[in-house]
Amino acid sequence: MARRAAAVTSFDAAYYARFYGDRRTRVADAASTRRLGEFVCAYLRFLRVSVTDVLDLGCGMGHWQKVIAAHFPRARYTGVEHSEYLCRRKGWQLGSVVDYRHPISVDLVVCQGVLQYLDEDDARKAIANLADLTHCALYLEALTAADWQDNCDRARTDGNVHLRPATFYRRLLRRTFQSFGGGLFVRHDAGISLFELERGA
């Protein structure tokens, strides 16, 4: 059974100061995103995915923008953020993963740490929308109930979220995507294959 969030999170200056600004409490920074991005981008090159357009849904502080510029310097990066505060500060497009529309489906969609903030109905809509927006590859990270129990640092992780089992996400993603491990999902119709034990669950 998923635990429901206690209240709607306000993605304001205080939220970003705690989880992304303060060294003692931040859950991620530019360096950790750079390490993650090195893996994701190297894996995409290994899979021979041509990355010319990137959509970052819930882009936050924009750490992925620098990662993409370093690894795919000719790629167009679009940052979309639900926080009006960050859109004013950083110039991102205001929007939600639930219903954001883009002129084209893109080679790589990034959605990191977003889906756990959505209730079940909106999470389902978001995953369907991710399928529409993704031409080839999706990098997805969402905190699950097991992660909260066993994996995350609770002092640095926002627990005011919907904690669901991983099976909820996997079941919905499986309709469109194959898990390639490491949080990377590739569309079934992208024409990319791996040996069975190289793939994710």
Side-chain angles (χ1 to χ4, degrees), residues 109-183:
V109 174
V110 175
C111 185
Q112 184 178 14
V114 175
L115 297 187
Q116 66 263 28
Y117 286 98
L118 304 176
D119 64 27
E120 185 170 319
D121 185 52
D122 278 348
R124 290 177 183 276
K125 291 176 182 176
I127 291 171
N129 196 36
L130 287 170
D132 289 340
L133 294 168
T134 305
H135 174 68
C136 184
L138 165 69
Y139 174 76
L140 179 67
E141 175 193 295
L143 187 73
T144 68
D147 290 328
W148 181 256
Q149 183 66 37
D150 301 322
N151 299 325
C152 72
D153 180 347
R154 296 190 189 184
R156 295 172 177 265
T157 305
D158 188 5
N160 185 37
V161 296
H162 299 274
L163 295 173
R164 290 178 276 259
T167 53
F168 170 85
Y169 298 107
R170 287 180 177 143
R171 183 176 64 253
L172 295 171
L173 289 162
R174 199 173 292 127
R175 298 172 183 173
T176 305
F177 299 98
Q178 167 68 57
S179 172
F180 272 37

Side-chain angles (χ1 to χ4, degrees), residues 26-187:
R26 64 189 178 197
V27 67
D29 59 11
S32 62
T33 305
R34 184 172 62 250
R35 290 194 303 273
L36 172 61
E38 286 170 355
F39 160 72
V40 171
C41 294
Y43 200 6
L44 290 171
R45 284 195 297 271
F46 168 72
L47 296 172
R48 298 181 180 177
V49 174
S50 176
V51 178
T52 58
D53 286 281
V54 178
L55 179 60
D56 190 355
L57 292 161
C59 59
M61 304 304 292
H63 297 319
W64 276 95
Q65 185 176 34
K66 291 183 179 179
V67 170
I68 297 303
H71 292 274
F72 302 112
R74 296 186 179 181
R76 291 177 291 272
Y77 171 92
T78 302
V80 178
E81 178 53 55
H82 183 68
S83 167
E84 294 183 8
Y85 160 74
L86 274 192
C87 287
R88 289 193 303 270
R89 182 179 170 195
K90 298 283 190 177
W92 309 133
Q93 290 188 31
L94 181 64
S96 168
V97 64
V98 174
D99 55 11
Y100 176 79
R101 295 292 179 263
H102 198 64
I104 58 170
S105 60
V106 303
D107 305 309
L108 172 62
V109 174
V110 175
C111 185
Q112 184 178 14
V114 175
L115 297 187
Q116 66 263 28
Y117 286 98
L118 304 176
D119 64 27
E120 185 170 319
D121 185 52
D122 278 348
R124 290 177 183 276
K125 291 176 182 176
I127 291 171
N129 196 36
L130 287 170
D132 289 340
L133 294 168
T134 305
H135 174 68
C136 184
L138 165 69
Y139 174 76
L140 179 67
E141 175 193 295
L143 187 73
T144 68
D147 290 328
W148 181 256
Q149 183 66 37
D150 301 322
N151 299 325
C152 72
D153 180 347
R154 296 190 189 184
R156 295 172 177 265
T157 305
D158 188 5
N160 185 37
V161 296
H162 299 274
L163 295 173
R164 290 178 276 259
T167 53
F168 170 85
Y169 298 107
R170 287 180 177 143
R171 183 176 64 253
L172 295 171
L173 289 162
R174 199 173 292 127
R175 298 172 183 173
T176 305
F177 299 98
Q178 167 68 57
S179 172
F180 272 37
L184 191 66
F185 296 82
V186 175
R187 288 186 61 100

Side-chain angles (χ1 to χ4, degrees), residues 3-15:
R3 179 173 69 76
R4 300 193 66 79
V8 175
T9 297
S10 178
F11 297 102
D12 56 10
Y15 172 89

Side-chain angles (χ1 to χ4, degrees), residues 43 46-47 179-181 192-200:
Y43 200 6
F46 168 72
L47 296 172
S179 172
F180 272 37
I192 299 171
S193 62
L194 289 177
F195 285 102
E196 189 170 8
L197 290 180
E198 293 177 315
R199 296 187 229 130

